[in-house]
Structures are given as structure tokens and as C-alpha cells.
Amino acid sequence: MAGFETQMTEQVRTRIAPSPTGAPHVGTAYMALFNLAFARRHQGKMVLRIEDTDRARSTPGSEQAILDALSWLGIEWDEGPDCGGDYGPYRQSERLELHQAEIDRLLEQGDAYRCFCSPERLDELRKEQMARKETPRYDGRCLALPPEESKQRAENGEPFVVRMKIPSEGECRFMDELRGEVVIDWSQVDHQVIRKSDGYPTYHLANVVDDHHMRISHVIRGEEWINSVPKHLLLYKLLGWNPPAFAHLPLLRNPDKSKLSKRRNPTGIFYYRDAGFLPEAMINYLGMMGYTLPDQREVFSLGDLSETFDLKRISLGGPVFDLDKLRWLNGRYLREKLSEEEVIDRLLTWKAGKGFLERVLPLALKRLETLSDFFPLAQFLLADKLEYAVTELTGKLDPGEAARLLKIAEWELEKTAEWNRDELSSLFQRMAQTEEMKLKELLPLFFVAITGSTVSLPLFDGMSLLGPDLSRTRIRLALEKLADTGNGLSKKGLKSIEKEYRKAYGDRID
Ligand code: GLU
């Protein structure tokens, strides 16, 4: 397979392919930054493709949020759903005909097959394999179906998925631009489903088809996808196409080296915007993740990074995303990179401006006697972390019960696609009903968790202004506060809360 050197004659085209589910993640910004720096370094283009084939989880709100979050950071794409380009459409759900045609081609070529196995059978199979300590994998039963019968059953309306045929032995060897040669045994690779029973392609199929048709030359993405490369390479081969070059970046880590997760660090890009971080400091910090500039500079811009960017300078040892270090760097930007005038401008556009006051004042007005009453009431909207006593938080509730309710709200809030006063109000009403509590017994806990006080602006308006990322972070911080005073949820406790939660509220989505 061609490496970077041999592909330099063609135009470099990179892409980011986020799925529009949930809040935009710092990991997406990290991938976008490195894809952009690489594309710019080689006078190429970066494409933004929205991978929305998971119909149950994708939302237009989340797609817009991704565009807004990346724009806030100053990350620009050359082609995408908002600005178009020569290889559109850039939303995967608008490319279904293309995916379907390639699935049909694979079926006709005999490189893929319909599988009619029921979810119950697959479940049973998986359990048996796990009991035998084998890697769960489809056993190929439907592979033996004669093509005519398979076609007939599909025409009769029987539900089916389409799977790829995978070699039963041997190994797949490929080059990763950061890791060198990678070898994966075909026995480790499942007969991947490429078309789901709802007719939609899976990620693997759609991703390969779109990367090809969008002429992507370099796939630069997270290391969690490295084990998928054999399937992708096989698809390229079966479809008769040249594969792009692959580079799998290390995943961001928490300071304890576990995979970056919101349990330890805020992971939503908007948390950083709303908590008052500067986009250029964020970009600088993300650029330092596993990367050093040739002159070892610590403070640098996207332009500086792009000028000298070289994938070979990426180190693979799990870069740690450390909030304290980011705060320190952000402080340097405020003091060293911006003039006082500029800091004032940033404050005004962040939250101290007229637009913000116009949104807050109507909520505060009836609680004001003097102007000086305003700022204490609005303080929770401007602050990052809040100080309050645990007893204020729990109020009349038992601390264990308070922790349980906070946890449930955290999961419920994760599910809200629309973040506004009315949605939040119905969410908490539903929760009160399910918990058989009165709203006024349930809400004081959240009032303190969100506003840090027992007296403030109305809760749902306040949360709506505060935004999802900061609000969710406050709930997590309240849980941490309880844990710090010995009232945390044990592993066992958490398991049973989760079980009850699923029964009463349905599945979690995070
Ligand atoms: N949609 C995938 C994701 O959300 C894209 C992975 C890739 O870059 O291939 O991570």
C-alpha cells in the first residue's frame, strides 16, 4: 500500500467524520486539528463529513453543535454539509443510494451474503462462545444458504442483514503511518454486518464508500479504529479501489491514564467555551497532545502548527489531557498573548456583554431591590466551579438518596437533545413522578447543585442559560462533593441504581 511519500503527487485530502450524537467532544476537536494541520502543511483540503447513519441516535441539533464547536475553536473545513464542495453530499444519510449500490455489488460478486439469523440466535451463539473463552464471532451459518433461497427469503419480506465474507485464515498486514506495520489475524475479524435490518449501511461500509468517493488520501483518526482496518482494506479490495493511507492517533487520556472520560474531566467542547477558556489556548493545548514542534515551543498557534506539521513527530504514549495544565496555559494567553483591551473584548463577547445581560435581566428583575442584587443572582452563570456546603446541597434528603437522584438526573440529562426551559421542566416533572416525589421535594437538590445557593434565578431558565455542558458538569461536581464527604456511590450501589434506572426510565445513552 502506498505511503505518504508515494501519495504526495496527488492532492492531500483528509477528513473528519463525526457522528452527530450527544455533545461535541474534545476528542473530535483533537482529530480535526491534526487532520487540518496535515492538510494545510501539504496544501491539501480537509473535508467535514457527518456520519449520521445511526438513525436512532443522530440529531440535527447535535450536527449543528459540532459545526458551532469547531468554528468556535477556529477550525475551518474546506468542504462540508454547510459549505458544500465537489464531492457532496456531505451528510452520510444523503448518500444511501451510493451505499446501497455498493452493497448490491458485493452481494452480486458473492463477497457478501444475507444473514437471516435472529437476534436470539446470535445472542445464544455469543454466550456459548464466551463460555468457551472464544472471541465472539458470527459462525457463518447463513453463508451456506444457496443464493436463490437467500434472494427469495428477502423478497418474501423476511428481515435480514448483509455481512461481508471474511477469510477464515491467514493474516492482514498493513502500514500505519505512525506505528509501522500492523498484523492482525483474520481469525480475529468478525463477518462484519455492512447493511443493517433497517436498510441502512453500517459505519464500516459507509465510511469506506464515502472515503473513496470523496477521494480521501489520508485517513487520520483515533486508535480505537485500528482493528477495523482489515475489514476496511478488504472492502477496498473487493470494490476494486486503492485504499488511502492510514494513521491512527493515540487517544486522549485522563491524568490516571484511563481513556478521557467525563467522569474525570469535562469532555464537551462547549464546557470550555462556557467556562471561559480561550479557543486559541484550547487549540494550542490540543496541539501539545502527543506532539512537539521542531523548536519545542510551548505556545503556538494553529498556523505555527500547520507550517511544520509532521505525523512522524507524534508520540504514541497516551497524551494526558490535564485540566490544570490547560488552565495554566489559558492564563498565559490572557496575560501574554492578549492586550488588556482584548481581554475586555473577550469578556464582553463571552458573558459580560449586553446580549447576555438582556437574557438574564428579565429573570432577575423581580428579585432586585438594588442594582447590587443583580450580580450575586447571576454569579452562577459566570462561574466555573461553585462553593457551597454539602448540607446545603442535600437539604432534607438523605445524602445517599441525594447521590442517587443526582446520578439519575445525570443520565436523564444526557438524553435531552433540545436544551431549553420547557424540555428541562418536563424532564424534572417526569423524574418527580417516577420517583413518587413532589417537584418541590426534588428540586432543591438541583437548585443548589446548579446555582450553588438556595436563592437564585429560576432553575430551568438558569440551566437553559448555563447550557448543557456546564450544567451536567455541575451535577457531576455535586456528586464528587458527596463522594468527598464519604457519601459517594459504591460500585455495587451504582450497579443497582443503574438496573432500577433502566427499568423505570429506559436505556442510558452515554
Ligand atoms: N463516525 C466515526 C466516529 O464518530 C468516524 C471514525 C473514522 O474517522 O473513521 O468516530
Side-chain angles (χ1 to χ4, degrees):
M1 194 172 78
F4 288 136
E5 273 26 277
T6 50
Q7 298 223 355
M8 283 306 154
T9 46
E10 288 173 28
Q11 190 188 37
V12 165
R13 290 177 55 84
T14 64
R15 88 309 192 257
I16 46 163
S19 299
T21 57
H25 196 277
V26 284
T28 302
Y30 174 56
M31 293 304 149
L33 175 62
F34 281 36
N35 271 281
L36 180 58
F38 182 76
R40 286 215 176 145
R41 170 83 176 85
H42 298 287
Q43 290 80 45
K45 300 246 189 277
M46 182 175 84
V47 173
L48 168 60
R49 179 174 72 230
I50 296 290
E51 297 209 329
D52 58 349
T53 52
D54 183 343
R55 299 315 288 158
R57 297 187 59 212
S58 301
T59 64
S62 170
E63 174 183 320
Q64 189 55 48
I66 292 171
L67 305 190
D68 293 346
L70 294 176
S71 301
W72 172 69
L73 284 166
I75 288 179
E76 290 168 346
W77 47 96
D78 301 291
E79 298 167 27
D82 55 333
C83 56
D86 292 344
Y87 303 93
Y90 292 92
R91 214 173 269 119
Q92 228 161 31
S93 60
E94 292 166 13
R95 306 173 61 84
L96 294 181
E97 272 174 38
L98 196 59
H99 304 139
Q100 193 55 56
E102 303 300 1
I103 294 170
D104 289 345
R105 186 146 77 92
L106 290 168
L107 276 170
E108 270 158 37
Q109 287 174 190
D111 293 320
Y113 61 98
R114 293 184 196 83
C115 169
F116 297 90
C117 290
S118 65
E120 292 74 32
R121 170 168 195 267
L122 296 175
D123 218 35
E124 202 50 43
L125 181 66
R126 198 171 45 93
K127 280 191 196 139
E128 283 167 20
Q129 289 172 330
M130 303 245 291
R132 291 199 299 268
K133 302 219 164 20
E134 292 169 13
T135 317
R137 189 168 189 257
Y138 182 60
D139 61 355
R141 179 195 270 193
C142 290
L143 197 53
L145 285 177
E148 266 319 302
E149 181 186 335
S150 158
K151 206 164 171 197
Q152 194 56 53
R153 282 170 73 174
E155 277 167 15
N156 293 347
E158 209 179 311
F160 65 91
V161 299
V162 175
R163 293 179 185 274
M164 293 171 68
K165 282 188 189 167
I166 299 285
S168 51
E169 52 190 35
E171 55 194 19
C172 174
R173 288 172 181 267
F174 60 93
M175 281 299 285
D176 178 88
E177 298 298 325
L178 305 182
R179 290 151 220 268
E181 190 177 51
V182 179
V183 184
I184 296 177
D185 271 358
W186 283 113
S187 65
Q188 296 303 308
V189 182
D190 201 359
H191 287 209
Q192 180 62 50
V193 172
I194 54 175
R195 174 201 183 272
K196 297 177 267 186
S197 54
D198 64 5
Y200 273 79
T202 56
Y203 154 76
H204 301 282
L205 186 281
N207 187 270
V208 164
V209 170
D210 291 344
D211 280 346
H212 168 73
H213 286 285
M214 291 180 177
R215 311 230 177 144
I216 300 303
S217 62
H218 296 79
V219 167
I220 303 171
R221 62 182 168 193
E223 67 186 325
E224 74 269 37
W225 298 107
I226 201 158
N227 288 332
S228 298
V229 175
K231 295 174 209 174
H232 296 180
L233 284 175
L234 185 57
L235 282 172
Y236 280 103
K237 185 164 160 218
L238 298 174
L239 292 166
W241 300 332
N242 282 333
F246 291 98
H248 290 85
L249 298 179
L251 290 181
L252 300 181
R253 307 262 155 197
N254 295 309
D256 67 3
K257 287 279 177 181
S258 58
K259 185 176 145 200
L260 186 68
S261 74
K262 55 190 163 207
R263 312 267 161 265
R264 315 272 157 89
N265 263 320
T267 53
I269 298 174
F270 289 138
Y271 163 82
Y272 294 92
R273 179 193 66 186
D274 298 345
F277 288 81
L278 302 176
E280 54 272 59
M282 284 293 289
I283 286 289
N284 188 158
Y285 191 61
L286 288 172
M288 287 159 76
M289 296 288 100
Y291 194 80
T292 38
L293 258 56
D295 61 7
Q296 316 281 323
R297 233 181 308 169
E298 248 190 337
V299 178
F300 55 83
S301 67
L302 172 56
D304 299 334
L305 181 70
S306 307
E307 246 166 55
T308 53
F309 189 76
D310 180 358
L311 283 173
K312 299 210 165 52
R313 299 192 63 81
I314 295 178
S315 84
L316 292 173
V320 172
F321 189 89
D322 179 347
L323 200 50
D324 290 334
K325 183 121 198 255
L326 171 59
R327 293 180 71 88
W328 165 83
L329 185 66
N330 203 66
R332 283 191 63 181
Y333 266 79
L334 284 172
R335 284 181 296 276
E336 295 168 26
K337 297 299 245 185
L338 300 182
S339 65
E340 283 187 14
E341 188 100 0
E342 283 168 329
V343 177
I344 291 173
D345 282 343
R346 296 301 178 100
L347 275 167
L348 289 172
T349 43
W350 178 63
K351 288 188 189 174
K354 198 157 180 231
F356 179 74
L357 293 178
E358 276 169 357
R359 289 198 287 156
V360 185
L361 188 71
L363 304 172
L365 201 51
K366 61 170 169 288
R367 294 167 177 79
L368 301 187
E369 286 174 347
T370 63
L371 293 178
S372 58
D373 293 337
F374 178 80
F375 288 100
L377 280 174
Q379 192 258 351
F380 78 97
L381 294 167
L382 301 164
D384 180 359
K385 278 191 185 179
L386 302 171
E387 292 304 326
Y388 52 82
V390 173
T391 47
E392 241 183 307
L393 178 72
T394 51
K396 293 195 179 124
L397 295 169
D398 164 72
E401 177 61 1
R404 188 182 73 84
L405 293 168
L406 285 165
K407 198 73 212 170
I408 288 176
E410 184 189 331
W411 291 331
E412 277 297 275
L413 287 169
E414 212 57 67
K415 292 185 189 166
T416 44
E418 301 294 322
W419 192 268
N420 59 46
R421 180 189 189 286
D422 293 344
E423 281 293 317
L424 292 165
S425 158
S426 38
L427 182 151
F428 279 98
Q429 271 170 33
R430 253 193 340 265
M431 184 169 164
Q433 249 170 28
T434 316
E435 297 301 323
E436 296 179 1
M437 290 172 88
K438 293 205 177 78
L439 206 53
K440 68 171 193 285
E441 294 165 337
L442 177 67
L443 290 189
L445 169 68
F446 294 98
F447 202 86
V448 177
I450 296 291
T451 72
S453 160
T454 50
V455 190
S456 188
L457 304 180
L459 179 63
F460 305 136
D461 293 289
M463 285 178 79
S464 158
L465 280 174
L466 194 58
D469 293 59
L470 261 181
S471 300
R472 290 179 186 132
T473 304
R474 295 251 165 104
I475 295 201
R476 266 176 227 121
L477 289 173
L479 273 162
E480 259 174 44
K481 207 178 236 310
L482 282 170
D484 288 346
T485 51
N487 292 297
L489 297 166
S490 65
K491 256 200 175 142
K492 213 168 132 206
L494 190 61
K495 267 223 158 101
S496 86
I497 295 173
E498 188 166 354
K499 205 164 144 207
E500 293 301 315
Y501 174 83
R502 281 184 203 279
K503 268 197 237 148
Y505 296 83
D507 276 345
R508 287 174 46 192
I509 62 156
D510 58 333

